[in-house]
Amino acid sequence: MIIPNHLKQYVVNQDYKSYTYIDQATWRFIMKISTDFFKKNADEIYFEGLKKTGITLNKIPKIESIDQKLSNFGWRAVCVRGFIPPNAFMEFQSLKILPIAADMRSHKNITYTPSPDIAHEAAGHAPIIANKDYSEYLINYGEIASKAIFSSEDLEVYYAIRNLSDIKENINSEEKEIKNAEIKLEKANKSITYLSESAILARMNWWTVEYGLIGDIKNPKIYGAGLLSSVAESENCLKKEVKKIPFSIDCINYDYDITEQQPQLFVTPNYKFLSKELKELAKSMAFNRGGEYGLNIAKKAKTLCTVVLDDNIHISGKVKEYIINQKKQIIFISFDGPTQIGINKKQLKNHGPDYHFEGYSSPLGNLKKIGKPISKLSNIELIKSNIIKNKSVKLKFEGDIILSGKIISILKNNSKIIIITFENCTLKYKSKTLFKPEWGNFDLVCGSRVTSVYGGVCDSSNYFSKIPIDKKKYEKLNLNNEKKVDHTLNNFFKKIKESSEPEVNIDELEKIYIDIKNKGIDDWLLKFELLQVTNCNLEINWIKSIFDDLYNLSSEDSDLSRAIRRALNSFN
């Protein structure tokens, strides 16, 4: 598996030994109630997919094993640290790599966690990949979403959501911390001034990959990973209180709250229909439309974008300004901050972000007298225009832009001129000076029109090797280190496990149960673990006592109570 260098920073090793006995019991509980419930309510590929993608039921799966199984479908899997940036997640997906967060949710948040964990990433996402049409949709989505332009406002919301999710998942978080994180998210959401391409694609992802239903709208089945990994919402979502809407592009007009259960869901007739609607949506995006529309989207976003010119010239940076003539032709473009120039998505030598560190600008279009762009000029036309190395030249472009300076180098690709470098250069547009000699050498890119604009940079490996990402922004809170493990509780889970393997020792388990009671420990999952290993043998009094305790708890009106009820019913 080849992972681009800039994505490697998100990849970590799955520290399997760090999972506690409580973690393993949490996984077993989730999978137990899921197994019975999803036989009736999940898409038919789900159970076949569990086996084919290496999702074990009785213990947390090893991501290495999932990776090996997914390779049979042309996919791979990597372990990542929690909430990675959306654009990075999509780029992994476009490469047919499933990023899996290795953390395991606390059993205090067993019914739902807004923070990525292995129950969601593995048991939720992986199984449906076994369906060829769905796999194709994921790949198509990843490729399109990785080109979507995200805004600086999107990033602030992402940071706020990630922070709130991590704090909520941390059982040691205080109410004040949660409240402050909620205020930050609310502030970030209120700061949104427009819906970016990335936000639009995120909505489509949410209503399909995360919370999608499939089949008959009157009796839909679950395929979305968010539902497949949510103990509570998987049950609640099928109730009539949750509105079911036929899936279409219109889903992008519905916002969502990552921390709450959803009031409506969308039902697709099949997975091929997802790809059909996605391709329709892609037609309206900047990478397909280019031109003034694409530049306007990129400028508004204030994030790294790539502008593609004819002859496959790629310029990557933050679009600062552009000038359009009366014919609606783009005649000048400028970028702010580190900028990269490439051909066919490969950075040109000496034209990386370290060289164009303070930005980049260039006129575009035809030379005025000839009516052609420089890249289309014949050798005779080049000579007549004095475009010769070591010659001083004055070039007049359509749109009243005039460039004067001495040519010190000419860079070609497939015999076409791509970049001409000038010294002592002046660039003027009417009465405005766009470039001065004291600013250094000027690199004229010989493109005539903007054919595409997409999010991100053209050659990320080279770009980010020179301009590193601020990792602090993307690091997940280290919950494993912050979370104080209840060693007494964990030790009881360990004892139960050891007393039931290789054979169940009822007498020893009864002693453990008595010890638990004597120590005043009242933990529902611990009780359920005892029922699980004894196969809920209600003929034994102390086991019947545990069952009755849990049955009483299951009669309450809460998501956890309903989950326990489902688990108890699975013994019948």
Side-chain angles (χ1 to χ4, degrees):
M1 168 179 17
I2 299 175
I3 300 175
N5 289 332
H6 68 287
L7 291 181
K8 288 181 179 177
Q9 64 178 305
Y10 305 116
V11 178
V12 296
N13 292 321
Q14 182 187 22
D15 183 8
Y16 201 85
K17 292 180 180 178
S18 69
Y19 294 123
T20 64
Y21 285 90
I22 302 174
D23 290 333
Q24 294 288 0
T26 301
W27 174 271
R28 283 192 294 275
F29 180 86
I30 291 173
M31 296 312 293
K32 180 173 181 58
I33 66 172
S34 297
T35 300
D36 288 332
F37 182 76
F38 291 135
K39 279 180 181 176
K40 296 179 180 179
N41 298 299
D43 183 41
E44 59 184 4
I45 193 62
Y46 178 72
F47 280 95
E48 181 184 347
L50 285 175
K51 297 175 183 177
K52 288 186 174 181
T53 57
I55 310 301
T56 46
L57 302 182
N58 293 321
K59 61 181 179 180
I60 296 172
K62 292 186 177 180
I63 295 174
E64 182 181 359
S65 298
I66 298 173
D67 176 49
Q68 292 172 354
K69 294 283 188 178
L70 282 176
S71 66
N72 295 325
F73 302 100
W75 280 73
R76 304 302 297 267
V78 292
C79 181
V80 297
R81 56 169 185 267
F83 253 127
I84 64 174
N87 56 316
F89 187 94
M90 295 310 167
E91 190 171 355
F92 272 118
Q93 191 168 296
S94 69
L95 297 170
K96 299 174 73 173
I97 300 172
L98 178 65
I100 299 177
D103 293 315
M104 186 66 216
R105 71 187 65 179
S106 161
H107 75 294
K108 305 294 183 183
N109 294 333
I110 201 165
T111 58
Y112 173 78
T113 174
S115 186
D117 77 332
I118 196 165
H120 173 262
E121 306 284 321
H125 282 291
I128 313 299
I129 291 177
N131 181 287
K132 184 179 179 181
D133 291 337
Y134 180 74
S135 173
E136 183 178 349
Y137 170 68
L138 281 187
I139 296 166
N140 292 338
Y141 180 86
E143 290 174 349
I144 291 171
S146 63
K147 295 175 184 176
I149 296 173
F150 62 93
S151 71
S152 56
E153 297 171 350
D154 293 335
L155 286 177
E156 293 307 314
V157 172
Y158 157 70
Y159 300 143
I161 289 175
R162 182 199 58 188
N163 183 56
L164 174 60
S165 299
D166 289 346
I167 288 175
K168 277 191 171 184
E169 177 59 19
N170 187 351
I171 60 174
N172 299 306
S173 295
E174 297 179 358
E175 191 61 35
K176 184 179 179 181
E177 292 178 284
I178 296 174
K179 187 64 178 177
N180 287 338
E182 288 174 340
I183 292 172
K184 286 182 180 179
L185 176 55
E186 183 180 359
K187 185 178 179 181
N189 280 324
K190 286 182 177 179
S191 298
I192 294 290
T193 58
Y194 76 104
L195 197 61
S196 71
E197 287 188 342
S198 183
I200 290 171
L201 266 291
R203 287 184 177 184
M204 190 162 192
N205 181 74
W206 187 262
W207 300 123
T208 59
V209 175
E210 295 294 349
Y211 284 84
L213 300 176
I214 188 169
D216 183 354
I217 197 165
K218 294 181 179 179
N219 184 30
K221 304 300 180 184
I222 295 169
Y223 74 88
L227 295 174
L228 291 172
S229 61
S230 174
V231 172
E233 194 163 7
S234 59
E235 181 177 12
N236 296 339
C237 76
L238 297 176
K239 296 176 180 177
K240 63 180 181 180
E241 287 80 7
V242 177
K243 188 178 180 181
K244 312 301 186 300
I245 304 171
F247 175 76
S248 70
I249 294 178
D250 188 54
C251 72
I252 65 174
N253 295 317
Y254 290 77
D255 198 1
Y256 60 88
D257 184 346
I258 193 172
T259 65
E260 300 292 338
Q261 296 188 24
Q262 308 310 310
Q264 74 280 312
L265 295 173
F266 295 84
V267 185
T268 183
N270 52 63
Y271 294 126
K272 282 187 176 181
F273 189 70
L274 298 179
S275 291
K276 176 180 176 294
E277 293 295 281
L278 174 65
K279 289 175 182 177
E280 196 64 31
L281 176 61
K283 291 177 183 178
S284 65
M285 294 175 63
F287 80 90
N288 274 324
R289 295 180 64 175
E292 180 184 0
Y293 175 85
L295 290 179
N296 184 52
I297 294 293
K299 181 182 176 183
K300 189 189 295 185
K302 300 177 182 178
T303 54
L304 287 173
C305 294
T306 297
V307 175
V308 185
L309 308 180
D310 43 345
D311 294 325
N312 222 355
I313 301 170
H314 291 62
I315 310 175
S316 302
K318 294 181 180 180
V319 174
K320 180 181 180 181
E321 197 58 74
Y322 56 91
I323 300 173
I324 295 175
N325 65 11
Q326 292 179 343
K327 295 180 181 179
K328 294 293 182 179
Q329 296 168 328
I330 299 158
I331 60 173
F332 178 81
I333 184 171
S334 68
F335 297 80
D336 195 21
T339 305
Q340 174 188 65
I341 305 176
I343 293 288
N344 299 319
K345 293 196 172 184
K346 291 294 181 183
Q347 179 179 296
L348 289 169
K349 186 178 180 181
N350 300 324
H351 287 285
D354 52 337
Y355 177 68
H356 300 291
F357 187 76
E358 294 182 352
Y360 177 76
S361 64
S362 180
L364 303 176
N366 300 332
L367 293 180
K368 198 165 189 176
K369 288 185 178 180
I370 302 176
K372 292 181 183 178
I374 292 174
S375 62
K376 300 292 191 297
L377 299 184
S378 66
N379 288 332
I380 293 176
E381 288 170 327
L382 288 170
I383 293 170
K384 283 185 176 180
S385 301
N386 212 29
I387 301 176
I388 303 169
K389 187 177 178 181
N390 297 323
K391 292 283 186 177
S392 294
V393 66
K394 188 172 186 179
L395 301 175
K396 294 183 179 181
F397 291 84
E398 292 179 350
D400 298 319
I401 291 182
I402 299 174
L403 182 154
S404 57
K406 181 181 179 181
I407 297 173
I408 59 175
S409 71
I410 297 176
L411 179 64
K412 293 184 178 182
N413 180 65
N414 293 331
S415 75
K416 290 184 177 181
I417 296 178
I418 300 300
I419 294 177
I420 303 175
T421 302
F422 298 82
E423 66 178 9
N424 195 29
C425 181
T426 299
L427 188 68
K428 289 190 174 183
Y429 171 60
K430 296 181 179 179
S431 61
K432 184 178 181 180
T433 300
L434 301 175
F435 193 89
K436 298 178 181 179
E438 55 264 33
W439 294 353
N441 292 339
F442 181 79
D443 299 287
L444 169 69
V445 64
C446 298
S448 62
R449 58 192 178 88
V450 175
T451 61
S452 176
V453 183
Y454 62 86
V457 297
C458 70
D459 186 349
S460 51
S461 294
N462 278 309
Y463 188 97
F464 292 115
S465 67
K466 299 297 183 181
I467 309 296
I469 293 174
D470 183 358
K471 293 184 179 181
K472 288 183 179 179
K473 287 186 176 182
Y474 298 126
E475 285 176 354
K476 179 179 183 295
L477 294 176
N478 194 337
L479 298 181
N480 285 337
N481 289 339
E482 291 185 3
K483 181 172 64 180
K484 295 179 181 178
V485 177
D486 186 332
H487 293 289
T488 300
L489 184 63
N490 191 59
N491 194 46
F492 275 121
F493 277 97
K494 179 183 178 182
K495 287 179 178 180
I496 293 170
K497 186 71 174 171
E498 290 174 344
S499 298
S500 57
E501 294 180 347
E503 294 181 357
V504 175
N505 187 329
I506 292 292
D507 292 336
E508 187 61 32
L509 288 169
E510 184 179 10
K511 291 178 183 178
I512 294 171
Y513 171 64
I514 293 171
D515 194 13
I516 290 170
K517 290 189 68 177
N518 289 338
K519 285 187 168 57
I521 296 173
D522 185 21
D523 184 89
W524 71 267
L525 185 58
L526 191 61
K527 293 177 181 178
F528 185 81
E529 189 78 349
L530 284 166
L531 286 187
Q532 179 93 317
V533 298
T534 59
N535 199 27
C536 195
N537 187 347
L538 300 184
E539 294 181 0
I540 300 175
N541 288 334
W542 66 272
I543 297 176
K544 177 68 165 57
S545 176
I546 292 175
F547 181 88
D548 290 341
D549 286 346
L550 289 178
Y551 183 81
N552 290 333
L553 180 57
S554 74
S555 300
E556 297 175 5
D557 184 21
S558 70
D559 286 337
L560 177 60
S561 297
R562 285 186 284 274
I564 293 173
R565 193 182 313 144
R566 279 167 56 183
L568 294 179
N569 290 338
S570 69
F571 289 119
N572 296 332

